Amino acid sequence: VGSLFFSSHHHVFGPTSSISLIVAATVAANSSMGLPPLQMAVYLAFLIGIIQLLAGLLNFGETTKFISRSVVVGYSTGIGIMLIASQLHNLLGYRVEVGQNFSTNVLQAIFDLGTAQVFPWAIGIGAATFAIFWLVKRFRPGWPEALIGLALLGLAAKVFTIYHHQVPFKMVRDEGALTAVIPAFAGYPFGPKRMHLLPELAGTAIAISILGMLEAASITKGLAAKSGQKIEPNQELIGMGVANIACAFFGAVPGSSSFARSAVNFQSGARTQLASMMSSIIVLAILAFVTPVFNFIPVAALAAHLIRIGFNMINGHQIRISCRSTPADLVVFVVTVASCLFLRLDTAIYVGIGVSLVLFLRKTSTPTLVEYAINESGNLAELRDPSQRPHPQISIIHVEGELFFGAADLFQEQVRMLADNQNIRVFILRMKNARHLDASTVMAMEYLHDYLRETGRHLLISGSSPEVTRVLDNSGLLAKIGTENIFPAQANPTMATRNALKRAKELLPGESLDVRVFYDKKPA
């Protein structure tokens, strides 16, 4: 169903490790709601589908580019570590309480290993599983090692049960028998009787939707770079939304973009979305023949497979890039991983995104003023020795960078410190390279203007771009300062400042004018 709507020829939708783990954690955390696990998963699929469908229809596909890749890398790493920790008890053969968190899983594994409270059968089966995976990958890299390994161990366990009535290891059927069922319409999962579930599950549904959007954007753009195909991000969201709604209608758990299956689809030479549709039909046909074997797969073998998936989700190359690029990326990565391990998984992605945005805003909203003066050669130079500072009547403050709300307070504070010098009679804000003014910055400029007027001084603005001039005009500040005190940018970059200086001389007649120049230099 998703392939009918995707713009990418190689995009494959289906159950993924990350989404499945979040759904499992959500089901475990909300077991007191009185809804069976599968029905809760189906309900989640419906909510996720609606959110993703609306996001695609409202053109939210491009918003994913504002989320740091360090968040995605950290989140995948955290989920991988969680998956590994959650399967340690199955691999080592000891019992745990239902719903244990990450730290409890790790501590119990260390304790049971230290006291030898482990089960040799489980360890042996797990080791055999890893060995089969390695051998298939080593000598037949094009073969599906997971399917082969689990099928072989399932067949071996089946033969074992024929000759031994008492099986010394746990199998999948002991957790609940699996049966192959052809998908059928399961009804409308969202009704008035389940409205009370919406507040409880909405946060998780939004988090999974965001993660799905990020995965889809990353996968499809990566494959498009290799194939040369043009991708419509919003169309991918619509396809995912419709696919998850279809999952809900047919009693299936939520799905997302699969990197492994999409990459295999591309490497196999797929040319249209029909390739994904055909593979789905083939999987459906094989399901009836393979499912009986699944029931005999040892739980320890399945744990080894899931641990292997967890390690595959930890991308060492991407982790190194995130940790070494900038300190901010390192902080975002570490915080996101820690949030996955010690907070709810749906909360973790919000924390990671929030920290990345805060650090970005902090980096782009830290203006510093470096004082310049005209040297003996008549050129602008930085004034390094404060004792040599002249006592001018005019200050030119060169403003450069992003002047949105995050920079407004620092902008106002530093300019106000300069304005405390009563010898300065006229301030010229040179805003040639100022960008993205908003209401906060306009208010800061208005406070400066009012303060200078109260003390009998003046504020001029020079070199304002059409964008800055429009903001000043729309806000009413231009009229308050006076059009005669605003000098928009001209073809000659210094002409506006020269005209502002002429205006300053008109405001200060008969005085000997020195000039101070400040340059708002962004930190390296």
Side-chain angles (χ1 to χ4, degrees):
V1 172
S3 298
L4 290 171
F5 294 86
F6 291 149
S7 63
S8 171
H9 296 161
H10 311 106
H11 189 180
V12 178
F13 176 92
T16 62
S17 302
S18 56
I19 301 301
S20 298
L21 191 59
I22 300 174
V23 171
T26 303
V27 169
N30 296 279
S31 57
S32 60
M33 286 186 177
L35 201 64
L38 182 58
Q39 290 188 27
M40 189 178 298
V42 169
Y43 189 87
L44 266 176
F46 183 78
L47 292 180
I48 294 166
I50 292 296
I51 293 170
Q52 291 176 334
L53 177 59
L54 290 176
L57 293 175
L58 297 176
N59 297 325
F60 283 176
E62 291 295 337
T63 60
T64 56
K65 65 185 179 183
F66 298 107
I67 299 177
S68 169
R69 288 292 300 171
S70 296
V71 174
V72 181
V73 174
Y75 199 71
S76 298
T77 302
I79 289 179
I81 296 173
M82 282 280 293
L83 185 57
I84 294 169
S86 69
Q87 295 300 316
L88 290 176
H89 70 283
N90 287 326
L91 185 68
L92 300 177
Y94 59 85
R95 295 184 178 275
V96 298
E97 298 294 330
V98 177
Q100 285 191 170
N101 57 30
F102 167 76
S103 56
T104 305
N105 281 329
V106 173
L107 291 175
Q108 185 170 350
I110 295 173
F111 175 79
D112 288 346
L113 276 173
T115 57
Q117 298 183 32
V118 293
F119 189 49
W121 272 97
I123 297 176
I125 292 172
T129 306
F130 284 124
I132 293 173
F133 289 165
W134 182 83
L135 289 171
V136 175
K137 191 71 173 177
R138 175 71 174 80
F139 296 103
R140 290 292 185 268
W143 291 11
E145 66 273 13
L147 179 61
I148 293 173
L150 294 179
L152 287 176
L153 288 165
L155 289 172
K158 171 64 176 176
V159 173
F160 189 91
T161 59
I162 295 175
Y163 298 99
H164 299 82
H165 295 290
Q166 296 294 331
V167 180
F169 51 86
K170 187 184 295 185
M171 294 180 289
V172 169
R173 68 178 183 179
D174 299 323
E175 304 287 342
L178 300 177
T179 57
V181 179
I182 299 300
F185 183 71
Y188 185 61
F190 188 85
K193 294 183 179 180
R194 296 181 179 177
M195 286 296 293
H196 67 283
L197 299 174
L198 186 58
E200 299 292 334
L201 299 179
T204 301
I206 294 173
I208 294 176
S209 299
I210 293 174
L211 180 60
M213 295 178 195
L214 293 173
E215 288 179 336
S218 175
I219 292 169
T220 56
K221 289 180 180 178
L223 293 177
K226 298 178 181 179
S227 66
Q229 183 192 359
K230 183 179 180 182
I231 299 297
E232 296 292 341
N234 293 310
Q235 193 67 33
E236 304 305 309
L237 291 186
I238 292 173
M240 291 176 63
V242 174
N244 270 315
I245 293 174
C247 285
F249 285 163
F250 285 82
V253 298
S256 185
S257 302
S258 170
F259 175 78
R261 291 191 288 274
S262 298
V264 170
N265 197 28
F266 171 76
Q267 293 167 4
S268 300
R271 292 292 179 266
T272 68
Q273 292 89 333
L274 282 174
S276 176
M277 298 180 197
M278 291 175 63
S279 68
S280 300
I281 295 172
I282 294 172
V283 167
L284 192 62
I286 294 177
L287 184 65
F289 299 98
V290 178
T291 301
V293 179
F294 287 168
N295 287 305
F296 293 94
I297 294 175
V299 171
L302 192 60
H305 171 55
L306 293 174
I307 288 174
R308 177 173 167 272
I309 291 176
F311 277 110
N312 288 338
M313 294 181 68
I314 303 173
N315 190 314
H317 175 67
Q318 293 182 350
I319 292 174
R320 283 192 295 273
I321 293 176
S322 296
C323 293
R324 295 178 179 179
S325 296
T326 66
D329 285 309
L330 174 61
V331 171
V332 169
F333 172 80
V334 171
V335 169
T336 305
V337 172
S339 299
C340 288
L341 301 181
F342 301 106
L343 301 177
R344 287 167 51 114
L345 287 176
D346 57 323
T347 303
I349 195 168
Y350 297 135
V351 172
I353 293 173
V355 170
S356 68
L357 292 177
V358 167
L359 293 177
F360 170 76
L361 293 176
R362 181 176 178 271
K363 181 169 62 175
T364 58
S365 60
T366 313
T368 57
L369 296 180
V370 179
E371 185 173 354
Y372 275 67
I374 298 178
N375 58 23
E376 297 177 356
S377 303
N379 299 321
L380 288 176
E382 184 177 347
L383 188 63
R384 298 183 180 276
D385 185 2
S387 63
Q388 300 298 319
R389 181 185 298 125
H391 301 284
Q393 293 78 41
I394 300 176
S395 287
I396 300 176
I397 305 176
H398 183 88
V399 183
E400 182 172 355
E402 310 293 331
L403 284 184
F404 63 106
F405 61 89
D409 288 343
L410 286 173
F411 170 75
Q412 177 181 349
E413 177 183 350
Q414 296 192 37
V415 175
R416 179 65 182 267
M417 288 175 60
L418 295 172
D420 287 339
N421 186 345
Q422 297 298 320
N423 292 326
I424 303 176
R425 310 307 301 168
V426 179
F427 278 86
I428 300 176
L429 293 184
R430 189 170 183 268
M431 306 189 70
K432 173 179 172 292
N433 294 324
R435 299 179 296 274
H436 302 149
L437 268 72
D438 61 8
S440 300
T441 311
V442 171
M443 291 179 188
M445 293 174 63
E446 184 179 35
Y447 296 151
L448 176 62
H449 172 264
D450 293 343
Y451 173 70
L452 293 176
R453 294 290 289 179
E454 290 172 2
T455 54
R457 295 179 291 169
H458 308 276
L459 175 66
L460 308 180
I461 296 177
S462 75
S464 58
S465 65
E467 175 197 357
V468 171
T469 305
R470 182 171 59 254
V471 172
L472 296 177
D473 187 19
N474 292 340
S475 64
L477 184 59
L478 189 148
K480 187 171 185 179
I481 296 177
T483 55
E484 70 279 5
N485 295 323
I486 306 290
F487 304 91
Q490 300 183 27
N492 187 329
T494 62
M495 185 60 68
T497 303
R498 187 179 304 171
N499 293 335
L501 285 170
K502 292 180 181 179
R503 173 60 179 166
K505 293 180 180 180
E506 294 175 0
L507 295 172
L508 301 173
E511 296 191 25
S512 175
L513 300 179
D514 295 324
V515 178
R516 293 173 68 189
V517 178
F518 293 88
Y519 179 73
D520 183 10
K521 185 175 67 174
K522 292 193 289 186

